[in-house]
Amino acid sequence: MTVPATTTSTSSITSAPSRKLTGREMYNAIGQPKTIVAPMVDQSELAWRILSRKYGADLCYTPMFHARLFVTSDKYRKSMFNDQDGNPKYDRPLIVQFCANDPEMLLQAAKLVENQCDAVDLNLGCPQGIAKKGKYGSFLMEDWDLIHKLIRKLHDNLSISVTAKIRVYDDYEKSLQYAKLVLDAGAQFITVHGRTREMKGQNTGLASWKILRYLRDKLPQDQVFFSNGNILYPNDLQRCQEETSCDAVMSAEGNLYNPGVFWTKTDDIDMQFPRVDKILRQYFEIVKSVDPHPASRHSMKSHFFKLMHEFLNVRSELRPMIGKTSVHSSFDEWEKIVEEVERIVGKEIASMENFEKLDIVVDGELQVWGGHYKTVPYWRCQPFFRKVDGERQNTRLLKVAGESNLMVTSNEAKEKLLKRELEVDGDEEGNARKKVAV
């Protein structure tokens, strides 16, 4: 197997140290990562991690693995994780994430990957219905005793560190006590997603960087702290780090739709907003290079659609070509799709007389949350904005975690909100805090 070289450091702990490293020691040992690929169900698999590292990701998490299935089903485990995962040559540093509600089962699962990763993470953030049914992820937030037992079981019995990824409550102080509990149990890194459990799908809204900063300031100064939420563009990384005072910034959806979201070394448009024809070819070649790797093959279709989500809105004739594929499709079938995208972008679009004038990224007006929405050519990777009641999220007011108001996303919206405030001036409810957090 030949795997494309990455452009980022892959320094990591490749053998168990004689003494388990503490959080800050561990963070330093893996190269002090600043950009992190989030753990995502069926999305942050090996091929995607290799691609993301080429575009600036310093640390990657695996997809969320179900601990019980990982232990009891050889088929499940081998389809999700094999001897290629965690290879020091191209897939480190790496943290493996599990969801679980049984401490002993969690430990058994962790023992199976202990020698192929730098840490094991407990998923405490999944908000989906399946997590509620199975009682894991964010649906453990009512059972702090169990959370403590899960983390402590790993901390006391693994040669590597345990970490945790959590969501917040609307209550700042409760969120702080929750974070302290996770750390007391033995978590060496803590990742905080600044959204509540209820904020998902059309109710996703905006993560609160204000809550993240509050937690960061109240936790021990030396605590390794990762922020997650609201990363749309590469320049959001620095804003997030400055506003939350975190050690590193994690991205899930932003990375899925544009791996270039992590590229901060230069202002190169081809690295920050890759052309879909070029990145599709890179990704496809990586998938072939790690074959056979079931998880990477299974995820191809989803990644094709996400990488080209805006492009497919214009060139919709490609949708059926991708739609009819399956995990059983040959690489020849996928090659035809890649070649057609290369033909459209590389020959039709790039050959336009005014292409150089059109092939630019333009900042919109400065928003009250401190950044800009950008206009990106449809043939380049860019953020995804889900629609709520038929309206894109970047054009409407959005709820912010921990706030009773709505987020202001445009000057027009701001004027409407200010007018509403004036109309209710003096009213206790109308004078509720109107803060903006990103």
Side-chain angles (χ1 to χ4, degrees):
M1 182 197 71
T2 302
V3 177
T6 64
T7 58
T8 59
S9 171
T10 57
S11 60
S12 63
I13 300 172
T14 57
S15 61
S18 57
R19 177 181 62 82
K20 184 186 292 189
L21 300 180
T22 62
R24 187 59 57 178
E25 291 174 329
M26 176 68 180
Y27 180 68
N28 293 337
I30 62 174
Q32 300 179 342
K34 298 300 181 185
T35 51
I36 308 172
V37 173
M40 297 170 279
V41 178
D42 299 330
Q43 299 291 281
S44 52
E45 79 299 331
L46 178 62
W48 190 258
R49 297 195 299 267
I50 293 173
L51 178 71
S52 296
R53 293 182 198 274
K54 290 174 68 69
Y55 281 86
D58 296 330
L59 168 64
C60 295
Y61 283 61
T62 66
M64 180 191 75
F65 300 145
H66 192 290
R68 179 179 59 79
L69 291 176
F70 202 84
V71 172
T72 61
S73 172
D74 287 345
K75 182 179 179 180
Y76 174 84
R77 183 173 65 256
K78 292 176 181 178
S79 69
M80 295 294 182
F81 197 84
N82 62 31
D83 57 4
Q84 298 180 63
D85 294 277
N87 190 308
K89 295 180 180 179
Y90 51 80
D91 193 31
R92 299 291 277 271
L94 178 70
I95 295 180
V96 176
Q97 188 190 69
F98 290 104
C99 66
N101 56 28
D102 182 321
E104 184 58 39
M105 192 65 71
L106 175 60
L107 177 60
Q108 290 183 42
K111 283 291 185 181
L112 292 171
V113 302
E114 188 174 20
N115 296 322
Q116 288 180 251
C117 61
D118 298 287
V120 169
D121 185 83
L122 177 62
N123 181 308
L124 295 171
C126 182
Q128 303 306 320
I130 191 172
K132 182 177 182 179
K133 182 177 180 181
K135 193 186 177 184
Y136 59 79
S138 65
F139 294 95
L140 295 179
M141 292 174 75
E142 285 80 27
D143 196 340
W144 287 15
D145 287 342
L146 177 56
I147 288 174
H148 196 281
K149 290 176 182 177
L150 288 164
I151 296 173
R152 176 60 64 176
K153 189 71 171 181
L154 296 185
H155 179 60
D156 288 344
N157 293 280
L158 291 180
S159 63
I160 58 177
S161 297
V162 56
T163 68
K165 183 172 186 287
I166 69 173
R167 286 193 174 225
V168 298
Y169 299 89
D170 275 324
D171 185 298
Y172 280 39
E173 189 58 31
K174 188 174 183 179
S175 298
L176 175 60
Q177 295 308 312
Y178 180 39
K180 287 182 176 179
L181 170 109
V182 167
L183 298 176
D184 177 74
Q188 299 302 303
F189 300 169
I190 188 169
T191 301
V192 185
H193 185 167
R195 291 184 173 90
T196 64
R197 184 174 64 194
E198 294 69 33
M199 297 176 72
K200 59 184 178 179
Q202 290 201 8
N203 296 320
T204 296
L206 289 163
S208 171
W209 286 1
K210 181 180 177 182
I211 291 181
L212 298 184
R213 182 56 183 261
Y214 177 82
L215 298 180
R216 167 64 280 181
D217 288 346
K218 297 294 183 179
L219 294 174
Q221 184 177 0
D222 199 44
Q223 173 61 48
V224 178
F225 186 98
F226 299 156
S227 294
N228 181 209
N230 299 347
I231 303 302
L232 298 175
Y233 310 106
N235 56 9
D236 291 328
L237 297 170
Q238 183 177 354
R239 287 197 311 108
C240 182
Q241 194 161 13
E242 291 175 350
E243 292 190 29
T244 67
S245 193
C246 62
D247 292 289
V249 180
M250 176 182 285
S251 175
E253 195 167 77
N255 163 257
L256 277 182
Y257 288 90
N258 177 21
V261 75
F262 288 133
W263 189 261
T264 58
K265 295 179 181 179
T266 64
D267 292 328
D268 184 354
I269 186 176
D270 288 321
M271 294 301 293
Q272 294 189 330
F273 302 93
R275 271 176 36 176
V276 295
D277 57 331
K278 295 182 178 180
I279 199 165
L280 202 64
R281 170 60 69 184
Q282 289 178 322
Y283 168 63
F284 181 54
E285 293 301 323
I286 292 172
V287 174
K288 290 192 295 182
S289 76
V290 300
D291 192 63
H293 189 271
S296 294
R297 284 295 296 267
H298 278 253
S299 300
M300 282 181 64
K301 188 172 189 174
S302 177
H303 285 309
F304 268 52
F305 273 119
K306 287 180 172 62
L307 284 171
M308 298 191 291
H309 78 97
E310 193 64 31
F311 184 70
L312 293 175
N313 286 336
V314 178
R315 304 304 298 247
S316 58
E317 72 273 15
L318 292 171
R319 288 186 178 276
M321 290 182 65
I322 304 172
K324 70 180 182 181
T325 61
S326 72
V327 295
H328 304 296
S329 298
S330 68
F331 280 132
D332 288 341
E333 293 178 73
W334 290 102
E335 176 69 29
K336 292 177 183 177
I337 297 172
V338 177
E339 288 181 348
E340 181 61 10
V341 174
E342 289 175 326
R343 184 192 67 79
I344 293 172
V345 181
K347 295 183 178 180
E348 285 187 15
I349 296 176
S351 64
M352 295 186 298
E353 291 184 4
N354 60 342
F355 177 72
E356 290 187 2
K357 294 182 179 180
L358 296 174
D359 193 37
I360 58 174
V361 175
V362 180
D363 283 349
E365 63 184 20
L366 179 65
Q367 300 293 320
V368 294
W369 44 262
H372 304 260
Y373 289 119
K374 301 176 186 293
T375 300
V376 182
Y378 72 87
W379 52 84
R380 291 189 176 275
C381 294
Q382 54 193 283
F384 168 74
F385 298 101
R386 56 176 52 83
K387 290 185 177 181
V388 181
D389 298 328
E391 186 179 358
R392 278 195 171 192
Q393 285 185 311
N394 58 325
T395 62
R396 61 181 286 126
L397 300 177
L398 297 174
K399 184 182 185 302
V400 182
E403 302 294 336
S404 59
N405 64 304
L406 297 176
M407 169 65 188
V408 182
T409 59
S410 68
N411 284 342
E412 180 180 1
K414 181 180 179 182
E415 291 174 1
K416 290 181 179 179
L417 187 55
L418 289 174
K419 181 179 179 180
R420 189 192 319 158
E421 288 178 326
L422 290 173
E423 291 174 349
V424 297
D425 187 32
D427 182 277
E428 182 177 349
E429 180 179 353
N431 280 324
R433 290 177 302 162
K434 298 221 169 18
K435 305 289 186 181
V436 173
V438 181

